[in-house]
Short mmCIF file of all heavy atoms in Angstrom, two decimals:
data_model
loop_
_atom_site.label_atom_id
_atom_site.label_comp_id
_atom_site.label_asym_id
_atom_site.label_seq_id
_atom_site.Cartn_x
_atom_site.Cartn_y
_atom_site.Cartn_z
N LEU N 203 -102.92 128.11 46.78
CA LEU N 203 -104.25 128.62 47.12
C LEU N 203 -104.90 127.66 48.09
O LEU N 203 -104.50 126.53 48.19
CB LEU N 203 -105.10 128.79 45.86
CG LEU N 203 -104.69 129.87 44.85
CD1 LEU N 203 -105.51 129.71 43.55
CD2 LEU N 203 -104.94 131.23 45.48
N GLU N 204 -105.91 128.19 48.78
CA GLU N 204 -106.67 127.33 49.69
C GLU N 204 -108.09 127.16 49.10
O GLU N 204 -108.46 127.90 48.22
CB GLU N 204 -106.71 127.91 51.08
CG GLU N 204 -105.29 127.95 51.72
CD GLU N 204 -105.23 128.72 53.00
OE1 GLU N 204 -106.30 129.01 53.59
OE2 GLU N 204 -104.12 129.05 53.42
N ASP N 205 -108.81 126.18 49.64
CA ASP N 205 -110.08 125.81 49.03
C ASP N 205 -111.24 126.75 49.38
O ASP N 205 -112.43 126.38 49.24
CB ASP N 205 -110.49 124.37 49.34
CG ASP N 205 -110.64 124.14 50.86
OD1 ASP N 205 -110.43 125.10 51.61
OD2 ASP N 205 -111.07 123.04 51.27
N ASP N 206 -110.93 127.94 49.88
CA ASP N 206 -111.98 128.91 50.19
C ASP N 206 -111.61 130.28 49.64
O ASP N 206 -111.78 131.32 50.30
CB ASP N 206 -112.19 128.98 51.71
CG ASP N 206 -110.93 129.28 52.47
OD1 ASP N 206 -109.87 129.43 51.87
OD2 ASP N 206 -111.03 129.35 53.73
N MET N 207 -111.06 130.28 48.43
CA MET N 207 -110.62 131.54 47.81
C MET N 207 -111.16 131.71 46.42
O MET N 207 -111.28 130.75 45.63
CB MET N 207 -109.05 131.54 47.71
CG MET N 207 -108.35 131.63 49.07
SD MET N 207 -106.57 131.62 48.84
CE MET N 207 -106.05 131.83 50.55
N GLU N 208 -111.42 132.97 46.10
CA GLU N 208 -111.73 133.40 44.73
C GLU N 208 -110.61 134.28 44.24
O GLU N 208 -109.94 134.96 45.03
CB GLU N 208 -113.08 134.09 44.64
CG GLU N 208 -114.26 133.23 44.94
CD GLU N 208 -115.59 133.96 44.94
OE1 GLU N 208 -115.61 135.15 45.35
OE2 GLU N 208 -116.60 133.38 44.53
N ILE N 209 -110.39 134.28 42.91
CA ILE N 209 -109.22 135.05 42.40
C ILE N 209 -109.73 136.23 41.54
O ILE N 209 -110.85 136.23 41.02
CB ILE N 209 -108.27 134.16 41.60
CG1 ILE N 209 -108.97 133.67 40.30
CG2 ILE N 209 -107.79 133.00 42.45
CD1 ILE N 209 -108.02 132.96 39.34
N ALA N 210 -108.86 137.21 41.39
CA ALA N 210 -109.12 138.41 40.59
C ALA N 210 -108.89 138.15 39.11
O ALA N 210 -108.20 137.20 38.78
CB ALA N 210 -108.24 139.57 41.11
N PRO N 211 -109.43 139.01 38.25
CA PRO N 211 -109.27 138.82 36.81
C PRO N 211 -107.81 138.80 36.33
O PRO N 211 -107.48 138.16 35.35
CB PRO N 211 -110.06 139.98 36.19
CG PRO N 211 -111.04 140.41 37.23
CD PRO N 211 -110.38 140.09 38.55
N ASP N 212 -106.97 139.54 37.05
CA ASP N 212 -105.56 139.66 36.65
C ASP N 212 -104.62 138.80 37.55
O ASP N 212 -103.42 139.03 37.59
CB ASP N 212 -105.08 141.10 36.66
CG ASP N 212 -105.14 141.73 38.05
OD1 ASP N 212 -105.84 141.15 38.91
OD2 ASP N 212 -104.53 142.78 38.27
N PHE N 213 -105.21 137.80 38.20
CA PHE N 213 -104.46 136.98 39.13
C PHE N 213 -103.21 136.32 38.50
O PHE N 213 -102.09 136.46 38.99
CB PHE N 213 -105.38 135.90 39.70
CG PHE N 213 -104.72 134.87 40.57
CD1 PHE N 213 -104.61 135.09 41.94
CD2 PHE N 213 -104.23 133.69 40.04
CE1 PHE N 213 -104.01 134.11 42.75
CE2 PHE N 213 -103.65 132.73 40.84
CZ PHE N 213 -103.52 132.94 42.20
N PHE N 214 -103.46 135.68 37.33
CA PHE N 214 -102.33 134.95 36.69
C PHE N 214 -101.30 135.93 36.10
O PHE N 214 -100.10 135.66 36.17
CB PHE N 214 -102.88 134.03 35.60
CG PHE N 214 -103.71 132.93 36.14
CD1 PHE N 214 -105.10 132.88 35.97
CD2 PHE N 214 -103.14 131.88 36.83
CE1 PHE N 214 -105.87 131.84 36.45
CE2 PHE N 214 -103.88 130.82 37.37
CZ PHE N 214 -105.26 130.81 37.18
N GLU N 215 -101.74 137.03 35.51
CA GLU N 215 -100.83 138.02 34.98
C GLU N 215 -99.99 138.66 36.10
O GLU N 215 -98.82 138.95 35.91
CB GLU N 215 -101.58 139.07 34.20
CG GLU N 215 -102.24 138.59 32.92
CD GLU N 215 -103.57 137.85 33.15
OE1 GLU N 215 -104.01 137.78 34.33
OE2 GLU N 215 -104.12 137.37 32.16
N TYR N 216 -100.64 138.90 37.26
CA TYR N 216 -99.91 139.45 38.40
C TYR N 216 -98.78 138.53 38.82
O TYR N 216 -97.63 138.99 39.03
CB TYR N 216 -100.92 139.66 39.55
CG TYR N 216 -100.26 139.90 40.90
CD1 TYR N 216 -99.66 141.10 41.17
CD2 TYR N 216 -100.30 138.92 41.88
CE1 TYR N 216 -99.05 141.34 42.42
CE2 TYR N 216 -99.71 139.12 43.11
CZ TYR N 216 -99.10 140.33 43.36
OH TYR N 216 -98.52 140.60 44.62
N PHE N 217 -99.04 137.24 38.92
CA PHE N 217 -98.00 136.35 39.36
C PHE N 217 -96.91 136.12 38.29
O PHE N 217 -95.76 135.89 38.64
CB PHE N 217 -98.58 135.01 39.82
CG PHE N 217 -99.04 135.02 41.23
CD1 PHE N 217 -100.40 134.96 41.54
CD2 PHE N 217 -98.14 135.11 42.26
CE1 PHE N 217 -100.83 134.97 42.88
CE2 PHE N 217 -98.54 135.12 43.59
CZ PHE N 217 -99.90 135.05 43.90
N GLU N 218 -97.29 136.24 37.01
CA GLU N 218 -96.28 136.13 36.00
C GLU N 218 -95.28 137.29 36.08
O GLU N 218 -94.06 137.11 35.92
CB GLU N 218 -96.93 136.10 34.59
CG GLU N 218 -95.92 135.88 33.47
CD GLU N 218 -96.58 135.61 32.15
OE1 GLU N 218 -97.83 135.67 32.06
OE2 GLU N 218 -95.85 135.36 31.17
N ALA N 219 -95.79 138.50 36.32
CA ALA N 219 -94.94 139.64 36.45
C ALA N 219 -94.10 139.52 37.75
O ALA N 219 -92.90 139.82 37.78
CB ALA N 219 -95.73 140.95 36.51
N ALA N 220 -94.72 139.02 38.81
CA ALA N 220 -93.99 138.87 40.07
C ALA N 220 -92.94 137.77 40.00
O ALA N 220 -91.93 137.85 40.72
CB ALA N 220 -95.02 138.55 41.17
N ALA N 221 -93.15 136.76 39.15
CA ALA N 221 -92.17 135.68 39.03
C ALA N 221 -90.83 136.22 38.56
O ALA N 221 -89.79 135.76 38.96
CB ALA N 221 -92.67 134.62 38.07
N ASP N 222 -90.91 137.25 37.70
CA ASP N 222 -89.67 137.88 37.19
C ASP N 222 -88.92 138.57 38.33
O ASP N 222 -87.69 138.54 38.42
CB ASP N 222 -90.03 138.88 36.11
CG ASP N 222 -88.82 139.39 35.41
OD1 ASP N 222 -87.97 138.61 34.94
OD2 ASP N 222 -88.71 140.65 35.24
N LEU N 223 -89.69 139.19 39.26
CA LEU N 223 -89.06 139.81 40.40
C LEU N 223 -88.38 138.76 41.31
O LEU N 223 -87.28 139.01 41.84
CB LEU N 223 -90.11 140.58 41.24
CG LEU N 223 -90.66 141.92 40.64
CD1 LEU N 223 -91.81 142.44 41.50
CD2 LEU N 223 -89.57 142.96 40.52
N LEU N 224 -89.06 137.65 41.53
CA LEU N 224 -88.48 136.56 42.31
C LEU N 224 -87.15 136.12 41.77
O LEU N 224 -86.19 135.83 42.51
CB LEU N 224 -89.42 135.41 42.39
CG LEU N 224 -90.39 135.29 43.58
CD1 LEU N 224 -91.17 133.99 43.48
CD2 LEU N 224 -89.65 135.33 44.89
N ASP N 225 -87.07 136.01 40.44
CA ASP N 225 -85.83 135.53 39.80
C ASP N 225 -84.71 136.56 39.93
O ASP N 225 -83.54 136.18 40.09
CB ASP N 225 -86.10 135.22 38.34
CG ASP N 225 -86.98 134.00 38.13
OD1 ASP N 225 -87.01 133.15 39.05
OD2 ASP N 225 -87.66 133.94 37.10
N LYS N 226 -85.06 137.84 39.82
CA LYS N 226 -84.03 138.88 39.78
C LYS N 226 -83.57 139.32 41.16
O LYS N 226 -82.38 139.68 41.35
CB LYS N 226 -84.58 140.10 39.03
CG LYS N 226 -84.79 139.89 37.55
CD LYS N 226 -85.38 141.14 36.91
CE LYS N 226 -85.55 140.96 35.41
NZ LYS N 226 -86.21 142.15 34.79
N ASP N 227 -84.42 139.34 42.14
CA ASP N 227 -84.09 139.90 43.46
C ASP N 227 -84.17 138.82 44.55
O ASP N 227 -85.24 138.40 44.97
CB ASP N 227 -85.10 141.01 43.77
CG ASP N 227 -84.70 141.86 44.99
OD1 ASP N 227 -83.88 141.36 45.76
OD2 ASP N 227 -85.26 142.97 45.13
N LYS N 228 -83.02 138.36 45.02
CA LYS N 228 -82.95 137.32 45.99
C LYS N 228 -83.34 137.79 47.40
O LYS N 228 -83.42 136.97 48.34
CB LYS N 228 -81.52 136.72 46.01
CG LYS N 228 -81.11 136.15 44.66
CD LYS N 228 -82.15 135.18 44.09
CE LYS N 228 -81.73 134.66 42.69
NZ LYS N 228 -82.76 133.84 42.10
N SER N 229 -83.56 139.10 47.57
CA SER N 229 -84.03 139.58 48.85
C SER N 229 -85.55 139.44 48.99
O SER N 229 -86.13 139.73 50.06
CB SER N 229 -83.64 141.05 49.06
OG SER N 229 -84.40 141.90 48.18
N ILE N 230 -86.20 138.95 47.93
CA ILE N 230 -87.65 138.68 47.98
C ILE N 230 -87.82 137.19 48.24
O ILE N 230 -87.39 136.35 47.45
CB ILE N 230 -88.35 139.06 46.63
CG1 ILE N 230 -88.17 140.58 46.38
CG2 ILE N 230 -89.84 138.72 46.69
CD1 ILE N 230 -88.68 141.03 45.04
#
Side-chain angles (χ1 to χ4, degrees):
L203 291 169
E204 296 171 14
D205 62 355
D206 55 1
M207 292 180 177
E208 292 178 325
I209 67 171
D212 62 343
F213 174 88
F214 293 110
E215 291 79 3
Y216 166 73
F217 275 111
E218 185 170 3
D222 189 50
L223 287 173
L224 264 183
D225 291 335
K226 291 178 179 178
D227 190 343
K228 301 309 177 185
S229 69
I230 300 173

